[in-house]
């Protein structure tokens, strides 16, 4: 699912997938703010730790 993220190269906000694919342009962004995707992944890992325990490794 694409998120509204800032593309540093274009200087605009765009819908960008987690792999950098720009939905509106049909190509990839290489210099963009992926912090929302990283936060989402960190939350998922924290939730997994809560249910599985801190000793389990990925």
């Amino acid at each position: 699912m694409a998120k509204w993220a800032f593309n540093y190269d274009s200087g605009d906000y765009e819908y960008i997938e987690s792999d950098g694919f720009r939905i509106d342009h049909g190509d990839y962004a290489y210099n963009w703010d992926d912090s929302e995707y990283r936060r989402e992944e960190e939350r998922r890992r924290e939730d997994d730790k809560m249910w599985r325990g801190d000793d389990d490794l990925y």
Side-chain angles (χ1 to χ4, degrees):
M1 184 171 122
K3 296 191 183 299
W4 191 241
F6 189 75
N7 182 346
Y8 295 110
D9 292 332
S10 69
D12 293 324
Y13 282 88
E14 304 172 2
Y15 284 105
I16 302 177
E17 295 279 348
S18 62
D19 63 355
F21 187 75
R22 302 185 315 162
I23 299 297
D24 298 335
H25 296 277
D27 61 0
Y28 286 88
Y30 297 100
N31 189 13
W32 59 285
D33 180 11
D34 66 345
S35 60
E36 183 61 31
Y37 286 107
R38 286 186 277 125
R39 276 194 296 273
E40 189 175 89
E41 177 64 19
E42 183 63 29
R43 277 187 236 122
R44 186 190 65 75
R45 287 178 182 247
E46 287 174 5
D47 287 348
D48 285 351
K49 281 183 184 179
M50 182 176 67
W51 293 107
R52 295 167 37 130
D54 289 336
D55 296 335
D56 295 333
L57 298 175
Y58 285 88

